[in-house]
Amino acid sequence: MSVYPYFVAAWLMLVGGYGIVRSRNLVHAVVSLSVAQAGTYVLLLAVGYQRGALAPVFGSTTKPNKHVVDPVVQAMTLTDIVVSATVTALLLALAVQVNKRQGTPDPDELQALKG
Amino acid sequence: MSRSARLVVFLIGAGCVAAMFAVAFFKMPAFGGSMHLYRDLAVPASVSHYTANVVASVNFDQRAIDTLGEETILVASVIGAAVLLRPAEEEAEMRPKAVGRTLEATKLAGYLLLPVTLLIGLDVVLHGQVTPGGGFQGGVILATGLHLLYVTGSYRALDRLRPLELFDTGEAVGAAAFAGVGIAGIVVAGNFLANIVPGGTFGQLLSAGTVPILNGAVGLEVGCGIVVLVAHFLQQDIIISAQAEQAKPGGSSEPQAGERVGTAERS
Protein backbone atom coordinates (compact mmCIF):
# COMPACT_ATOMS: atom_id res chain seq x y z
CA MET A 1 0.00 0.00 0.00
CA SER A 2 2.97 2.32 0.40
CA VAL A 3 3.10 3.04 -3.37
CA TYR A 4 -0.65 3.23 -4.00
CA PRO A 5 -0.87 7.10 -4.19
CA TYR A 6 1.93 7.17 -6.75
CA PHE A 7 -0.05 4.84 -8.98
CA VAL A 8 -3.11 7.07 -8.62
CA ALA A 9 -0.97 9.92 -9.98
CA ALA A 10 0.27 7.81 -12.91
CA TRP A 11 -3.28 6.61 -13.62
CA LEU A 12 -4.59 10.19 -13.75
CA MET A 13 -1.85 11.22 -16.17
CA LEU A 14 -2.40 8.26 -18.50
CA VAL A 15 -6.19 8.45 -18.41
CA GLY A 16 -5.92 12.15 -19.29
CA GLY A 17 -3.75 11.22 -22.26
CA TYR A 18 -6.30 8.60 -23.30
CA GLY A 19 -9.00 11.29 -23.17
CA ILE A 20 -6.97 13.54 -25.50
CA VAL A 21 -6.38 10.68 -27.97
CA ARG A 22 -10.05 9.68 -28.06
CA SER A 23 -11.31 13.29 -28.09
CA ARG A 24 -14.13 14.30 -30.42
CA ASN A 25 -14.23 17.88 -29.16
CA LEU A 26 -11.44 20.36 -28.49
CA VAL A 27 -12.98 21.46 -25.18
CA HIS A 28 -13.02 17.80 -24.12
CA ALA A 29 -9.35 17.56 -25.09
CA VAL A 30 -8.50 20.61 -22.97
CA VAL A 31 -10.33 19.15 -19.95
CA SER A 32 -8.52 15.84 -20.51
CA LEU A 33 -5.23 17.72 -20.37
CA SER A 34 -6.32 19.21 -17.03
CA VAL A 35 -6.99 15.67 -15.77
CA ALA A 36 -3.52 14.61 -16.88
CA GLN A 37 -2.02 17.60 -15.07
CA ALA A 38 -3.99 16.70 -11.93
CA GLY A 39 -1.76 13.60 -11.78
CA THR A 40 1.22 15.85 -11.09
CA TYR A 41 -0.58 17.45 -8.12
CA VAL A 42 -1.26 14.02 -6.63
CA LEU A 43 2.34 12.95 -7.19
CA LEU A 44 3.78 16.11 -5.58
CA LEU A 45 1.50 15.92 -2.55
CA ALA A 46 2.13 12.17 -2.17
CA VAL A 47 5.90 12.78 -2.19
CA GLY A 48 5.56 15.35 0.61
CA TYR A 49 3.11 13.43 2.78
CA GLN A 50 4.03 12.08 6.19
CA ARG A 51 1.70 9.85 8.20
CA GLY A 52 0.25 11.61 11.25
CA ALA A 53 1.93 14.92 10.44
CA LEU A 54 0.09 18.26 10.51
CA ALA A 55 -0.27 21.02 7.92
CA PRO A 56 2.81 23.29 7.69
CA VAL A 57 0.93 26.28 9.09
CA PHE A 58 1.74 27.26 12.66
CA GLY A 59 -0.25 29.32 15.11
CA SER A 60 -1.21 29.57 18.74
CA THR A 61 -2.30 25.92 18.90
CA THR A 62 0.52 24.48 16.78
CA LYS A 63 3.92 25.64 17.89
CA PRO A 64 6.64 25.50 15.22
CA ASN A 65 7.96 21.96 14.94
CA LYS A 66 9.28 19.69 12.24
CA HIS A 67 6.50 17.11 12.44
CA VAL A 68 4.63 18.58 9.46
CA VAL A 69 4.13 17.54 5.85
CA ASP A 70 6.61 18.92 3.30
CA PRO A 71 5.74 22.58 2.54
CA VAL A 72 8.07 22.79 -0.47
CA VAL A 73 6.10 20.35 -2.61
CA GLN A 74 2.87 22.08 -1.52
CA ALA A 75 4.25 25.38 -2.81
CA MET A 76 5.24 23.65 -6.05
CA THR A 77 1.69 22.26 -6.34
CA LEU A 78 0.37 25.82 -6.13
CA THR A 79 2.70 26.82 -8.97
CA ASP A 80 1.52 23.77 -10.88
CA ILE A 81 -2.15 24.70 -10.46
CA VAL A 82 -1.53 28.27 -11.64
CA VAL A 83 0.34 27.04 -14.71
CA SER A 84 -2.43 24.54 -15.43
CA ALA A 85 -5.06 27.28 -15.20
CA THR A 86 -3.16 29.56 -17.58
CA VAL A 87 -2.60 26.75 -20.09
CA THR A 88 -6.30 25.83 -19.92
CA ALA A 89 -7.31 29.44 -20.54
CA LEU A 90 -5.03 29.77 -23.57
CA LEU A 91 -6.11 26.44 -25.06
CA LEU A 92 -9.79 27.26 -24.59
CA ALA A 93 -9.23 30.56 -26.39
CA LEU A 94 -7.58 28.61 -29.22
CA ALA A 95 -10.50 26.16 -29.27
CA VAL A 96 -12.93 29.08 -29.61
CA GLN A 97 -10.91 30.40 -32.56
CA VAL A 98 -10.67 26.98 -34.25
CA ASN A 99 -14.41 26.48 -33.89
CA LYS A 100 -15.02 29.90 -35.44
CA ARG A 101 -12.59 29.51 -38.34
CA GLN A 102 -13.17 25.84 -39.19
CA GLY A 103 -16.79 25.54 -38.13
CA THR A 104 -16.21 22.42 -36.08
CA PRO A 105 -14.79 21.64 -32.65
CA ASP A 106 -13.90 18.08 -33.72
CA PRO A 107 -10.11 17.74 -34.05
CA ASP A 108 -10.56 14.85 -36.52
CA GLU A 109 -12.32 17.13 -39.00
CA LEU A 110 -9.63 19.79 -39.10
CA GLN A 111 -8.36 19.30 -42.64
CA ALA A 112 -5.28 21.50 -42.31
CA LEU A 113 -3.97 19.33 -39.47
CA LYS A 114 -4.42 15.98 -41.24
CA GLY A 115 -1.13 14.17 -41.62
CA MET B 1 -4.09 8.34 -39.08
CA SER B 2 -7.33 6.55 -38.29
CA ARG B 3 -8.81 6.63 -34.83
CA SER B 4 -8.13 2.97 -34.14
CA ALA B 5 -4.51 3.21 -35.31
CA ARG B 6 -4.01 6.24 -33.11
CA LEU B 7 -5.47 4.37 -30.15
CA VAL B 8 -3.14 1.41 -30.73
CA VAL B 9 -0.12 3.76 -30.85
CA PHE B 10 -1.28 5.44 -27.66
CA LEU B 11 -1.87 2.16 -25.82
CA ILE B 12 1.62 0.89 -26.71
CA GLY B 13 3.18 4.17 -25.54
CA ALA B 14 1.04 4.35 -22.41
CA GLY B 15 1.95 0.76 -21.54
CA CYS B 16 5.66 1.59 -21.76
CA VAL B 17 5.23 4.76 -19.68
CA ALA B 18 3.20 2.84 -17.09
CA ALA B 19 5.93 0.18 -16.86
CA MET B 20 8.60 2.84 -16.33
CA PHE B 21 6.43 4.53 -13.69
CA ALA B 22 6.02 1.20 -11.89
CA VAL B 23 9.78 0.56 -11.87
CA ALA B 24 10.38 4.09 -10.53
CA PHE B 25 7.63 3.97 -7.90
CA PHE B 26 8.92 0.79 -6.27
CA LYS B 27 12.32 2.42 -5.78
CA MET B 28 10.92 5.67 -4.34
CA PRO B 29 10.81 6.32 -0.58
CA ALA B 30 7.60 4.78 0.76
CA PHE B 31 4.51 6.97 0.89
CA GLY B 32 3.98 8.69 4.26
CA GLY B 33 7.56 8.26 5.46
CA SER B 34 9.24 10.66 7.86
CA MET B 35 12.24 11.63 5.71
CA HIS B 36 11.66 15.06 4.14
CA LEU B 37 14.92 16.93 3.66
CA TYR B 38 13.40 20.06 2.11
CA ARG B 39 10.88 20.25 4.95
CA ASP B 40 13.70 20.14 7.50
CA LEU B 41 15.34 23.14 5.83
CA ALA B 42 12.22 25.14 4.93
CA VAL B 43 10.56 25.12 8.36
CA PRO B 44 13.47 26.74 10.31
CA ALA B 45 14.00 29.24 7.47
CA SER B 46 10.33 30.20 7.63
CA VAL B 47 10.31 30.52 11.43
CA SER B 48 13.44 32.69 11.34
CA HIS B 49 11.55 35.10 9.06
CA TYR B 50 8.49 35.17 11.36
CA THR B 51 6.25 33.43 8.82
CA ALA B 52 3.64 31.12 10.37
CA ASN B 53 2.49 29.70 7.01
CA VAL B 54 5.53 27.82 5.76
CA VAL B 55 3.99 27.36 2.29
CA ALA B 56 3.66 31.16 1.96
CA SER B 57 7.26 31.54 3.12
CA VAL B 58 8.45 29.10 0.45
CA ASN B 59 6.38 30.83 -2.23
CA PHE B 60 7.01 34.47 -1.41
CA ASP B 61 10.30 34.49 0.47
CA GLN B 62 12.52 31.45 -0.02
CA ARG B 63 11.56 30.82 -3.65
CA ALA B 64 10.04 34.21 -4.49
CA ILE B 65 11.82 34.45 -7.83
CA ASP B 66 10.00 31.29 -8.87
CA THR B 67 6.70 32.98 -8.02
CA LEU B 68 7.75 36.01 -10.07
CA GLY B 69 8.08 33.69 -13.06
CA GLU B 70 4.75 32.05 -12.27
CA GLU B 71 3.08 35.44 -12.09
CA THR B 72 4.64 36.44 -15.40
CA ILE B 73 3.24 33.27 -17.01
CA LEU B 74 -0.20 34.34 -15.82
CA VAL B 75 0.19 37.83 -17.33
CA ALA B 76 1.40 36.31 -20.60
CA SER B 77 -1.54 33.92 -20.68
CA VAL B 78 -4.08 36.70 -20.12
CA ILE B 79 -2.46 38.73 -22.92
CA GLY B 80 -2.45 35.69 -25.20
CA ALA B 81 -6.10 34.90 -24.54
CA ALA B 82 -7.03 38.56 -25.09
CA VAL B 83 -5.23 38.56 -28.45
CA LEU B 84 -6.86 35.28 -29.51
CA LEU B 85 -10.34 36.36 -28.46
CA ARG B 86 -10.36 39.89 -29.89
CA PRO B 87 -13.21 40.57 -32.31
CA ALA B 88 -12.20 39.97 -35.91
CA GLU B 89 -12.85 42.37 -38.78
CA GLU B 90 -15.93 40.63 -40.12
CA GLU B 91 -17.57 40.25 -36.73
CA ALA B 92 -20.25 42.44 -35.33
CA GLU B 93 -20.83 43.06 -31.67
CA MET B 94 -24.31 42.24 -30.51
CA ARG B 95 -25.83 43.69 -27.39
CA PRO B 96 -27.44 40.94 -25.36
CA LYS B 97 -31.17 41.39 -24.98
CA ALA B 98 -32.68 40.59 -21.63
CA VAL B 99 -34.05 37.20 -22.57
CA GLY B 100 -34.56 34.15 -20.44
CA ARG B 101 -35.27 34.49 -16.78
CA THR B 102 -33.40 34.19 -13.56
CA LEU B 103 -35.07 32.77 -10.47
CA GLU B 104 -35.71 35.33 -7.75
CA ALA B 105 -33.92 33.06 -5.31
CA THR B 106 -30.83 33.00 -7.55
CA LYS B 107 -30.85 36.80 -7.77
CA LEU B 108 -31.22 37.17 -3.99
CA ALA B 109 -28.46 34.65 -3.30
CA GLY B 110 -26.18 36.36 -5.83
CA TYR B 111 -26.63 39.84 -4.41
CA LEU B 112 -26.29 38.61 -0.81
CA LEU B 113 -23.18 36.58 -1.55
CA LEU B 114 -21.44 39.31 -3.60
CA PRO B 115 -20.19 41.38 -0.61
CA VAL B 116 -19.56 38.24 1.46
CA THR B 117 -17.41 36.67 -1.28
CA LEU B 118 -15.44 39.87 -1.86
CA LEU B 119 -14.76 40.12 1.90
CA ILE B 120 -13.63 36.48 2.06
CA GLY B 121 -11.35 37.11 -0.92
CA LEU B 122 -9.75 40.12 0.81
CA ASP B 123 -9.42 38.11 4.02
CA VAL B 124 -7.67 35.25 2.21
CA VAL B 125 -5.24 37.67 0.52
CA LEU B 126 -4.46 39.62 3.72
CA HIS B 127 -3.93 36.57 5.97
CA GLY B 128 -1.78 34.63 3.51
CA GLN B 129 1.21 34.70 5.86
CA VAL B 130 -0.61 33.32 8.93
CA THR B 131 -3.30 30.99 7.56
CA PRO B 132 -3.64 28.87 4.43
CA GLY B 133 -4.32 31.16 1.49
CA GLY B 134 -2.55 34.06 -0.15
CA GLY B 135 -2.54 36.18 -3.25
CA PHE B 136 -3.29 33.49 -5.82
CA GLN B 137 -6.19 31.91 -3.96
CA GLY B 138 -7.63 35.21 -2.73
CA GLY B 139 -7.31 36.81 -6.14
CA VAL B 140 -9.32 34.02 -7.73
CA ILE B 141 -12.01 34.34 -5.03
CA LEU B 142 -12.23 38.12 -5.63
CA ALA B 143 -12.57 37.66 -9.40
CA THR B 144 -15.15 34.89 -8.97
CA GLY B 145 -17.14 36.98 -6.50
CA LEU B 146 -17.46 39.79 -9.01
CA HIS B 147 -18.95 37.37 -11.52
CA LEU B 148 -21.80 36.54 -9.15
CA LEU B 149 -23.30 39.60 -10.83
CA TYR B 150 -23.37 37.64 -14.08
CA VAL B 151 -25.00 34.67 -12.36
CA THR B 152 -27.76 36.93 -11.10
CA GLY B 153 -28.62 37.45 -14.76
CA SER B 154 -27.41 40.97 -15.20
CA TYR B 155 -24.64 41.18 -17.76
CA ARG B 156 -25.20 44.93 -17.95
CA ALA B 157 -24.66 45.38 -14.21
CA LEU B 158 -21.45 43.38 -14.51
CA ASP B 159 -20.41 45.51 -17.48
CA ARG B 160 -20.98 48.72 -15.51
CA LEU B 161 -19.16 47.53 -12.39
CA ARG B 162 -16.23 46.24 -14.39
CA PRO B 163 -14.29 49.00 -16.14
CA LEU B 164 -11.90 46.77 -18.06
CA GLU B 165 -9.21 49.44 -18.53
CA LEU B 166 -8.97 49.71 -14.74
CA PHE B 167 -8.53 45.95 -14.39
CA ASP B 168 -5.95 45.91 -17.21
CA THR B 169 -4.01 48.55 -15.29
CA GLY B 170 -4.47 46.70 -11.99
CA GLU B 171 -2.99 43.56 -13.46
CA ALA B 172 0.05 45.43 -14.74
CA VAL B 173 0.49 47.32 -11.46
CA GLY B 174 0.34 44.07 -9.47
CA ALA B 175 2.95 42.42 -11.66
CA ALA B 176 5.18 45.51 -11.57
CA ALA B 177 4.85 45.83 -7.77
CA PHE B 178 6.20 42.29 -7.36
CA ALA B 179 9.27 43.15 -9.44
CA GLY B 180 9.51 46.50 -7.61
CA VAL B 181 9.73 44.79 -4.22
CA GLY B 182 12.45 42.58 -5.70
CA ILE B 183 14.46 45.59 -6.92
CA ALA B 184 14.00 47.28 -3.52
CA GLY B 185 15.65 44.15 -2.10
CA ILE B 186 18.69 44.74 -4.34
CA VAL B 187 18.90 48.39 -3.29
CA VAL B 188 18.55 47.76 0.45
CA ALA B 189 20.06 44.33 1.05
CA GLY B 190 21.93 43.53 -2.16
CA ASN B 191 19.76 40.56 -3.09
CA PHE B 192 16.84 40.39 -5.51
CA LEU B 193 13.61 39.80 -3.55
CA ALA B 194 15.44 39.89 -0.22
CA ASN B 195 13.10 40.06 2.79
CA ILE B 196 13.86 43.66 3.75
CA VAL B 197 10.78 44.62 5.79
CA PRO B 198 11.01 44.13 9.60
CA GLY B 199 9.63 40.72 10.56
CA GLY B 200 6.96 41.69 13.07
CA THR B 201 5.39 39.24 15.52
CA PHE B 202 5.20 35.55 14.63
CA GLY B 203 1.63 34.52 13.88
CA GLN B 204 0.23 38.07 13.81
CA LEU B 205 -1.20 39.97 10.83
CA LEU B 206 1.88 42.18 10.71
CA SER B 207 4.57 39.57 10.31
CA ALA B 208 6.72 37.83 7.71
CA GLY B 209 8.25 41.03 6.27
CA THR B 210 7.72 41.27 2.52
CA VAL B 211 5.43 38.21 2.30
CA PRO B 212 2.15 40.12 2.88
CA ILE B 213 3.27 42.87 0.46
CA LEU B 214 4.01 40.33 -2.26
CA ASN B 215 0.75 38.54 -1.44
CA GLY B 216 -1.12 41.81 -1.97
CA ALA B 217 0.65 42.43 -5.28
CA VAL B 218 -0.15 38.91 -6.48
CA GLY B 219 -3.75 39.18 -5.23
CA LEU B 220 -4.23 42.39 -7.24
CA GLU B 221 -2.63 40.88 -10.32
CA VAL B 222 -4.47 37.56 -10.19
CA GLY B 223 -7.84 39.13 -9.36
CA CYS B 224 -7.59 41.68 -12.18
CA GLY B 225 -6.10 39.13 -14.58
CA ILE B 226 -8.90 36.61 -14.08
CA VAL B 227 -11.54 39.33 -14.46
CA VAL B 228 -9.98 40.42 -17.77
CA LEU B 229 -9.72 36.80 -18.91
CA VAL B 230 -13.34 35.96 -18.11
CA ALA B 231 -14.43 39.26 -19.66
CA HIS B 232 -12.86 38.28 -22.98
CA PHE B 233 -14.57 34.88 -22.94
CA LEU B 234 -17.93 36.46 -22.05
CA GLN B 235 -17.47 39.07 -24.77
CA GLN B 236 -16.71 36.29 -27.24
CA ASP B 237 -19.95 34.61 -26.22
CA ILE B 238 -22.07 37.65 -27.08
CA ILE B 239 -20.20 38.38 -30.28
CA ILE B 240 -21.60 36.42 -33.16
CA SER B 241 -19.56 36.15 -36.27
CA ALA B 242 -21.17 37.55 -39.38
CA GLN B 243 -20.17 34.42 -41.26
CA ALA B 244 -22.01 32.17 -38.84
CA GLU B 245 -25.11 34.28 -39.34
CA GLN B 246 -24.90 33.93 -43.10
CA ALA B 247 -24.38 30.20 -42.81
CA LYS B 248 -27.49 29.82 -40.71
CA PRO B 249 -30.17 32.11 -42.15
CA GLY B 250 -33.30 32.81 -40.20
CA GLY B 251 -31.85 32.95 -36.74
CA SER B 252 -28.69 32.92 -34.75
CA SER B 253 -27.42 30.10 -32.65
CA GLU B 254 -27.12 32.20 -29.50
CA PRO B 255 -30.26 32.80 -27.47
CA GLN B 256 -29.15 36.23 -26.25
CA ALA B 257 -28.67 37.75 -29.71
CA GLY B 258 -30.14 41.20 -29.78
CA GLU B 259 -29.89 44.32 -31.87
CA ARG B 260 -26.70 44.95 -33.76
CA VAL B 261 -24.61 47.76 -32.32
CA GLY B 262 -22.13 48.20 -35.11
CA THR B 263 -19.05 46.53 -36.39
CA ALA B 264 -16.32 46.23 -33.82
CA GLU B 265 -13.12 47.83 -34.94
CA ARG B 266 -9.99 45.77 -34.95
CA SER B 267 -7.93 46.49 -31.87
Side-chain angles (χ1 to χ4, degrees):
Chain A
M1 282 302 279
S2 69
V3 290
Y4 179 65
Y6 301 146
F7 279 101
V8 173
W11 162 252
L12 277 173
M13 207 201 95
L14 292 175
V15 87
Y18 178 80
I20 296 173
V21 169
R22 299 290 290 166
S23 178
R24 283 264 181 217
N25 189 311
L26 285 172
V27 175
H28 172 267
V30 174
V31 175
S32 298
L33 181 68
S34 298
V35 172
Q37 284 179 316
T40 61
Y41 316 152
V42 175
L43 181 67
L44 279 171
L45 294 178
V47 164
Y49 183 72
Q50 177 178 347
R51 255 177 245 284
L54 297 169
V57 179
F58 305 120
S60 49
T61 51
T62 323
K63 293 296 168 214
N65 63 79
K66 282 191 183 174
H67 196 66
V68 293
V69 297
D70 195 337
V72 177
V73 286
Q74 295 204 351
M76 287 164 94
T77 309
L78 175 67
T79 309
D80 202 353
I81 292 171
V82 173
V83 171
S84 167
T86 57
V87 168
T88 304
L90 261 187
L91 288 178
L92 284 178
L94 275 172
V96 166
Q97 281 296 345
V98 167
N99 187 41
K100 252 191 339 193
R101 304 280 159 198
Q102 308 284 333
T104 170
D106 188 344
D108 281 345
E109 287 176 23
L110 299 178
Q111 297 300 322
L113 287 180
K114 275 248 169 91
Chain B
M1 195 185 285
S2 74
R3 287 180 70 80
S4 49
R6 194 195 310 161
L7 184 64
V8 168
V9 170
F10 171 79
L11 287 179
I12 294 170
C16 294
V17 172
M20 283 194 279
F21 270 141
V23 171
F25 288 161
F26 283 110
K27 288 193 177 158
M28 274 168 71
F31 172 73
S34 59
M35 200 183 71
H36 294 289
L37 299 175
Y38 288 125
R39 186 260 327 262
D40 295 344
L41 294 170
V43 170
S46 165
V47 173
S48 73
H49 281 178
Y50 308 97
T51 315
N53 181 354
V54 187
V55 180
S57 175
V58 172
N59 261 324
F60 295 102
D61 193 358
Q62 299 168 33
R63 283 162 49 92
I65 192 155
D66 190 51
T67 308
L68 178 64
E70 179 185 349
E71 198 198 33
T72 316
I73 291 175
L74 190 75
V75 176
S77 153
V78 171
I79 294 171
V83 168
L84 281 170
L85 293 175
R86 73 195 191 284
E89 226 169 346
E90 69 276 10
E91 284 172 342
E93 211 165 324
M94 313 292 279
R95 180 144 292 164
K97 227 193 272 174
V99 288
R101 68 193 184 90
T102 316
L103 288 177
E104 293 295 322
T106 313
K107 276 188 185 167
L108 182 68
Y111 285 126
L112 281 179
L113 281 175
L114 176 66
V116 176
T117 316
L118 293 182
L119 265 181
I120 290 175
L122 272 180
D123 181 83
V124 170
V125 172
L126 290 176
H127 291 88
Q129 67 278 25
V130 283
T131 54
F136 286 105
Q137 298 91 325
V140 172
I141 296 175
L142 285 172
T144 315
L146 195 61
H147 288 95
L148 280 173
L149 275 176
Y150 182 67
V151 176
T152 59
S154 179
Y155 182 75
R156 285 164 191 233
L158 176 67
D159 224 17
R160 272 201 303 275
L161 258 176
R162 191 197 56 184
L164 270 187
E165 299 80 24
L166 202 66
F167 283 96
D168 276 333
T169 317
E171 192 195 4
V173 166
F178 200 110
V181 171
I183 291 167
I186 295 185
V187 173
V188 176
N191 284 320
F192 189 63
L193 284 163
N195 198 338
I196 46 169
V197 177
T201 318
F202 186 84
Q204 296 298 309
L205 183 61
L206 287 176
S207 64
T210 50
V211 172
I213 302 171
L214 293 177
N215 257 328
V218 168
L220 178 68
E221 196 246 305
V222 172
C224 293
I226 302 285
V227 167
V228 172
L229 195 66
V230 175
H232 282 292
F233 276 103
L234 284 178
Q235 203 187 355
Q236 188 62 229
D237 190 46
I238 63 165
I239 286 172
I240 298 153
S241 92
Q243 290 169 327
E245 247 179 314
Q246 282 167 3
K248 276 179 264 172
S252 51
S253 54
E254 300 292 319
Q256 69 266 50
E259 77 269 25
R260 176 179 278 242
V261 292
T263 313
E265 72 258 46
R266 192 170 220 157
S267 48

